[in-house]
Amino acid sequence: MKVAIVGAGKGGTAILKSLARLDEVHVSVIIDTNVNASGIKLAKKLNVDTSTSIEDINPVDTDMIIEATGIENVANTLHDKYGDDCKIIDSQGAFLIMTLVERDIETLEKLDAQMSAINETSLVVQNRLEEIATSVEDIHNVSEMLVNTTEASNKYIEESDKIVQYVNKIAQQIKILGLNANIEAARAGEYGKGFSVVASEIQKLANESENFAKEINDILVKLSTEIEKINNEIDNLKKLSQVQLDASNSVSAAVEKLKEETDN
C-alpha cells in the first residue's frame, strides 16, 4: 500500500515513524508548508519524498491519503481533488491512528530501553563470568602446582626414611661394638678401665643416634599424614573449581541465549 501524509507536525511525524516500520506500507510523500517541521526532517532521514504542496500528490501512485493537519480547508481540498481516486482518512481518523501510533512508539521505546538494559547487564555478567573462569583456571594451576609439590615432598620423605633406616643400622652396629668393647674391658680388668669409659661413650652415642633416628621417623610420619591431608584438600578444591566452572559455563550459555533472543 502506498500512502501520502499531509501534515508533518507531531501527528504526521508519529504516523510516519510507525508506518516506516511496516514492510507492507510505503510512504510515497509527506507534505507540509513548514520545511522545518519534524516530520519533514524525519522523512529526509528515511529517504521519503517531501513537498510543501498537496498538488505534488500523484493519485496514480497513491492508494491512501492521511490528512494529519486537522485543518478543515485542507481536508475539503483533498476530498475535492483526490476523493475519487484515493481513500482519504480525515483528521479524526488520523487522530485515532496517531493515538495508537504514539502508544505503539512508547511501548517500542520502553522495549528498546529494556533490551538495551538487558544487553548492558548481559555484557557485565559476561565479563564477570570471564573473570570467574580465569580465576578458576588460576586455582586449577595452583592445585597442579600443589600436587607437584606434594609429590616431590613424598619423594623426599621416602629418601629421608631410607637415611633414617641406614642411621638405625649404624646405631645397632655401634651398640654391638660398644657391648663387645665393654666385654673386652671387663676381661682386661684394671687395664681395661680406660677402654671401658670409651666403650660406654660409644654405647651412649649409639643410644642417642637410635633415639634421634626414631624422632626423625616420627616427624616424617606426621609430615606424610599432613601431606595426605593436603592431597585430600586439593581434590576437594578441584571438585569445587569444576562446579564453579560448570556453573559459570551454564550462566554464560544462558546469557548468550538471552542476547540472541533480544537481538532477533
Side-chain angles (χ1 to χ4, degrees):
M1 178 182 291
K2 297 179 181 179
V3 178
I5 301 173
V6 179
K10 180 180 178 182
T13 302
I15 292 171
L16 174 61
K17 188 182 293 184
S18 181
L19 294 181
R21 292 189 174 97
L22 303 177
D23 295 333
E24 302 85 358
V25 177
H26 171 67
V27 180
S28 57
V29 66
I30 183 167
I31 299 168
D32 200 291
T33 55
N34 180 9
V35 295
N36 292 318
S38 59
I40 299 295
K41 293 179 179 179
L42 176 61
K44 291 178 179 179
K45 291 181 180 179
L46 298 175
N47 293 322
V48 174
D49 290 340
T50 63
S51 176
T52 57
S53 174
I54 60 175
E55 299 292 334
D56 290 334
I57 297 176
N58 182 1
V60 177
D61 197 38
T62 304
D63 300 311
M64 180 183 294
I65 299 173
I66 299 176
E67 192 278 297
T69 65
I71 301 173
E72 185 177 356
N73 289 337
V74 174
N76 291 335
T77 301
L78 289 173
H79 278 284
D80 292 340
K81 191 171 183 62
Y82 302 107
D84 295 334
D85 301 312
C86 305
K87 177 67 177 177
I88 298 175
I89 297 179
D90 59 18
S91 58
Q92 291 182 343
F95 176 76
L96 177 60
I97 294 175
M98 182 189 70
T99 301
L100 295 174
V101 165
E102 285 180 343
R103 291 183 179 178
D104 180 51
I105 292 174
E106 183 180 353
T107 300
L108 289 175
E109 288 177 348
K110 288 182 179 179
L111 287 175
D112 287 341
Q114 291 172 353
M115 292 302 100
S116 178
I118 289 174
N119 286 331
E120 291 178 2
T121 303
S122 297
L123 181 61
V124 172
V125 172
Q126 193 71 34
N127 291 335
R128 294 296 177 268
L129 289 174
E130 290 177 359
E131 292 176 1
I132 292 173
T134 301
S135 66
V136 170
E137 185 177 351
D138 292 339
I139 292 173
H140 181 73
N141 292 335
V142 172
S143 298
E144 290 297 324
M145 183 180 67
L146 288 173
V147 169
N148 294 334
T149 302
T150 53
E151 288 177 354
S153 298
N154 282 326
K155 290 181 180 179
Y156 293 143
I157 290 174
E158 291 175 1
E159 295 297 325
S160 299
D161 187 60
K162 291 178 181 179
I163 295 173
V164 170
Q165 292 177 8
Y166 184 69
V167 170
N168 273 325
K169 289 181 180 179
I170 294 176
Q172 292 296 326
Q173 291 175 356
I174 293 175
K175 286 177 71 174
I176 293 172
L177 180 62
L179 180 62
N180 291 333
N182 278 325
I183 293 172
E184 293 300 326
R187 287 179 180 176
E190 188 68 23
Y191 299 101
K193 286 184 178 180
F195 188 65
S196 177
V197 173
V198 174
S200 296
E201 290 299 322
I202 292 174
Q203 192 81 24
K204 182 179 178 182
L205 176 62
N207 290 332
E208 289 178 351
S209 298
E210 188 176 23
N211 291 333
F212 182 64
K214 185 177 182 303
E215 290 177 4
I216 293 176
N217 187 67
D218 291 341
I219 292 173
L220 292 177
V221 171
K222 291 179 181 179
L223 182 59
S224 180
T225 302
E226 293 302 318
I227 289 176
E228 183 65 26
K229 291 180 181 179
I230 292 174
N231 281 328
N232 292 334
E233 293 302 322
I234 290 173
D235 290 338
N236 292 333
L237 183 61
K238 284 183 177 180
K239 292 178 182 178
L240 292 174
S241 298
Q242 189 60 47
V243 170
Q244 188 177 13
L245 185 59
D246 291 342
S248 298
N249 290 336
S250 298
V251 174
S252 181
V255 170
E256 191 63 31
K257 183 179 180 181
L258 177 62
K259 289 177 66 178
E260 290 178 358
E261 291 178 351
T262 54
D263 290 339
N264 292 332

